[in-house]
Amino acid sequence: MKILAIDSSGLVASAAVVDERKVIAEYNVNNKKTHSQTLLPMIDELKKILDLDLSTLDAVAISKGPGSFTGLRIGSATAKGIALALEKPIIEISSLEAMAFQIFGTESIICPIMDARRGQVYTAMFENGSDGFRRMTDDSPMAIEEVINNINETERSVIFLGDGVEVHSETIEKNIKVPVLFAPAYAGYQRAAALGMLAQEYAKRGEMTDPDMHRPEYLRLSQAERERLEKNNG
């Protein structure tokens, strides 16, 4: 399958075209511009460089969340618009799962953490060793202290990645009781190429959805919604 993969769930805007055998092209931007400014021009540039007829795509893969509320909305709207126009299915994948998929050949726990503000992160635990890629826990928002405690209880080494590392690395290093590594920059943030290759596995299992049915998964209320509830309850 030829898949256009889009990830705008975090700080990085990323788009890629992949097939079963290779990453055909990938475009990543992490330079303080909003995803609304970068995402469509990136996709258009991929189309031009590859001389790509979008009708030859078999599906559009999108990081469904968790992550930035604005970023998820932009990515979802872009993916839905393209998929609807082309009459192609959407492959929805957790942002955390796609990030974890970048780390392989390790017996350590893989723990992506995305900054969710107020001392919290979006997180889950995965494995990608000799037995293949496997999810250990569901995606959830939680305090970084709880993440560290959960890792300590496993008594296993861990690899952290995601934009939450920059925010919470000092707290992690101070409180972690197991061997810990932080993923290097080239594997530490969202990559549409990883999303696209994981989408190939989803497609083989028939895990695709009609674009009309796609919705981002935020996991919690937006800041504006939380503030409104606090005001109403206060």
Side-chain angles (χ1 to χ4, degrees), residues 214-231:
H214 169 65
R215 299 289 186 277
E217 292 186 3
Y218 302 115
L219 291 189
R220 69 177 193 178
L221 297 175
S222 69
Q223 181 176 345
E225 290 170 318
R226 292 195 306 270
E227 290 176 351
R228 185 171 64 251
L229 281 174
E230 290 171 2
K231 183 178 179 180

Side-chain angles (χ1 to χ4, degrees), residues 18 24 51 54 56 91 106 112 139-140 147 169 173 184 210 225:
V18 307
I24 301 170
D51 194 22
L54 292 179
T56 65
I91 302 174
T106 178
D139 295 355
S140 61
V147 176
S169 59
E173 290 174 330
D210 187 284
E225 290 170 318

Side-chain angles (χ1 to χ4, degrees), residues 40-191:
L40 281 173
M42 287 163 56
I43 295 170
D44 187 54
E45 192 65 24
L46 287 175
K47 179 178 177 293
K48 291 176 182 176
I49 290 173
L50 298 176
D51 194 22
L52 176 65
D53 180 354
L54 292 179
S55 67
T56 65
L57 294 171
D58 295 294
V60 179
I62 181 67
S63 55
K64 65 179 180 179
S68 158
F69 284 77
T70 302
L72 290 174
R73 290 189 184 104
I74 292 168
S76 290
T78 302
K80 285 183 72 169
I82 294 172
L84 284 168
L86 299 175
E87 298 183 339
K88 305 292 183 178
I90 279 182
I91 302 174
E92 305 171 312
I93 297 178
S94 156
S95 314
L96 297 167
E97 186 176 350
M99 273 201 294
F101 192 64
Q102 297 175 121
I103 310 297
F104 66 95
T106 178
E107 298 307 313
S108 297
I109 291 171
I110 303 166
C111 186
I113 51 174
M114 298 177 68
D115 184 29
R117 309 289 178 87
R118 297 188 176 186
Q120 289 199 326
V121 294
Y122 298 115
T123 189
M125 291 191 285
F126 302 84
E127 294 177 315
N128 201 3
S130 56
D131 293 330
F133 186 60
R134 184 178 76 87
R135 175 184 284 275
M136 298 173 63
T137 63
D138 293 335
D139 295 355
S140 61
M142 65 176 66
I144 189 62
E145 291 81 8
E146 186 178 355
V147 176
I148 296 168
N149 289 338
N150 291 343
I151 294 292
N152 286 339
E153 288 176 0
T154 70
E155 299 183 344
R156 292 176 56 185
S157 60
V158 61
I159 300 172
F160 284 102
L161 69 158
D163 59 39
V165 169
E166 185 175 351
V167 179
H168 298 292
S169 59
E170 186 176 331
T171 301
I172 292 170
E173 290 174 330
K174 186 182 298 184
N175 296 285
I176 200 76
K177 297 178 181 177
V178 299
V180 59
L181 289 173
F182 299 112
Y186 61 82
Y189 294 87
Q190 288 85 344
R191 293 284 299 268

Side-chain angles (χ1 to χ4, degrees), residues 74 207 212:
I74 292 168
E207 296 181 32
D212 279 326

Side-chain angles (χ1 to χ4, degrees), residues 12-33:
V12 178
S14 186
V17 178
V18 307
D19 63 20
E20 295 96 331
R21 298 176 303 279
K22 63 183 180 293
V23 177
I24 301 170
E26 184 182 26
Y27 200 146
N28 301 303
V29 174
N30 183 6
N31 194 34
K32 298 182 180 179
K33 289 187 177 181

